[in-house]
Amino acid sequence: MGRILVFANQKGGVGKTTSAVNTAASLGILGYRTLLVDMDPQGSATGGVGVAKKSLRYTVRDLLAGGCRAKEAILATSFQNLSLIPANATLAGAEFDLLGVEEGVGAALAEALGSVRSGYDYILINFPPSLGMLTVNALAASDGVIIPLPCEYYALEGLTQLTLTVARVKKRFNPRLVTTGILVTMYNGRLSLSAQIMAELEKHYRDRLFRTTISRNVRLCEAPSFGMPVYYYDKSAKGAKEYTDFARELLTRA
Ligand code: ADP
Ligand code: MG
C-alpha cells in the first residue's frame, strides 16, 4: 500500500515543488513505484517532469470533481518508475467546485487516490501555494507531512500557522496524519548565517530535522525548464546527489 506524503508549507519559494519532483524521481531511480500528484494550479510539478500543461485530457481537478477515475488521470512520464497526475490553471476552479460538496469537501483527494494506492510504493503530493480547499485535500489524503524549510532568516515565519492547519486537518479529516520531518533546503555552507540558522533549527526541532540538507544549487533551478528532474538533467549535480540521499533517508522514516 503506497505511503502518501505531502511537501507542505504555505509559503512560496521554499522548495516544495523542487523537493516533490526530485524526491519522486530519486525514489523511482531507487526502484520504488512512485506517483507524483500535482495540486498546484501553476502546474509546476507537471512541467517539471516534462508533461505539457496545455491539452491535458484529465487533471487533478477532474479527479476532485468526480469527473474521472484516478486511473484515468495518471500519465506515464519519461522517467524511471515515475507517474503523474497532472495539474494546470483549471485547478484554480477546484476551490469553487469543492465549496458545494458539503460532506466530502476535504476528503475528495483521499477517496480518489484510494483506488490506485496499492499500485505504488510512494505517492508524493506537490502542495498548492496558498491555504484553501486544495491544501485541506492534500493534507487529508496524506500519511505524512514533509516541511521544506529554506535555510534563511524568515524561514520559521508561518511555521506556527502550518502546524495549526495540520493539527486541524488531522482532527477533522485524517487522524493518521503525522509530521514526517523538516527538510532544510537552500543551504549555503559558505555563509556563516546558514550555520547559525541550522544551529537554531537544531535547538528547536532536533528530532524532526532530516539529517540530509539540500544545498543551494543552480542545476535545481535549471532542470525544470528542460522538463527534467535534476538527476536526469545533470547526474553529477550536487542537487542530484542530495535528493537521492534524502530519498534514502526518507525510506528509513516513512
Ligand atoms: P515552492 O514550490 O515552495 O514555491 P520551488 O521549489 O518552486 O518552491 O522553488 C522556488 C525557486 O527556488 C525555484 O525557482 C527553484 O528553482 C529554486 N530552488 C528551489 N530549491 C533550490 C535550491 N536548493 N537551490 C537553488 N534554487 C532552488
Ligand atoms: Mg511550488
Side-chain angles (χ1 to χ4, degrees):
M1 196 63 133
R3 303 276 301 158
I4 306 182
L5 303 171
V6 59
F7 288 86
N9 190 327
Q10 78 276 21
K11 287 188 82 114
V14 299
K16 293 184 293 289
T17 301
T18 305
S19 298
V21 165
N22 290 297
T23 306
S26 291
L27 286 169
I29 289 161
L30 292 171
Y32 294 87
R33 297 163 303 165
T34 307
L35 174 66
L36 182 62
V37 180
D38 197 357
M39 288 291 280
D40 181 353
Q42 287 162 17
S44 43
T46 300
V49 294
V51 172
K53 284 179 261 187
K54 287 184 184 159
S55 70
L56 291 167
R57 174 132 194 251
Y58 295 120
T59 69
V60 81
R61 182 187 186 183
D62 300 295
L63 191 62
L64 291 170
C68 69
R69 288 177 303 147
K71 221 165 126 183
E72 296 171 306
I74 295 174
L75 298 175
T77 71
S78 330
F79 311 109
Q80 219 177 309
N81 294 315
L82 183 60
S83 302
L84 171 78
I85 297 183
N88 59 21
T90 63
L91 182 58
E95 289 284 348
F96 188 74
D97 297 344
L98 288 165
L99 280 178
V101 196
E102 271 309 323
E103 254 322 284
V105 73
L109 184 66
E111 276 165 25
L113 292 179
S115 62
V116 294
R117 218 177 153 166
S118 60
Y120 294 93
D121 299 306
Y122 285 94
I123 299 179
L124 302 190
I125 302 178
N126 179 42
F127 204 64
S130 60
L131 293 174
M133 284 322 300
L134 292 175
T135 333
V136 171
N137 269 272
L139 291 169
S142 297
D143 301 303
V145 182
I146 299 165
I147 305 173
L149 210 63
C151 198
E152 286 165 7
Y153 253 137
Y154 68 81
L156 291 174
E157 285 171 23
L159 209 54
T160 319
Q161 174 68 46
L162 180 63
T163 313
L164 214 67
T165 306
V166 170
R168 280 205 191 119
V169 173
K170 183 179 167 88
K171 194 166 169 200
R172 171 110 197 261
F173 296 104
N174 182 6
R176 70 177 191 282
L177 187 63
V178 296
T179 301
T180 306
I182 296 173
L183 174 63
V184 174
T185 62
M186 305 189 198
Y187 184 79
N188 184 345
R190 280 173 304 183
L191 291 182
S192 61
L193 179 64
S194 276
Q196 278 171 36
I197 294 169
M198 271 313 286
E200 197 62 21
L201 288 173
E202 267 163 25
K203 203 161 81 194
H204 295 291
Y205 301 102
R206 178 180 292 278
D207 39 326
R208 297 260 185 104
L209 287 183
F210 285 101
R211 270 192 308 109
T212 313
T213 55
I214 307 298
S215 305
R216 264 197 185 279
N217 179 222
V218 69
R219 292 288 193 241
L220 288 170
C221 310
E222 294 167 357
S225 54
F226 294 90
M228 289 182 210
V230 69
Y231 185 92
Y232 293 88
Y233 173 62
D234 178 1
K235 201 195 279 198
S236 67
K238 197 168 188 185
K241 180 188 180 298
E242 288 174 345
Y243 273 110
T244 306
D245 289 347
F246 173 63
R248 286 210 180 87
E249 186 180 0
L250 187 59
L251 291 169
T252 69
R253 280 211 203 184

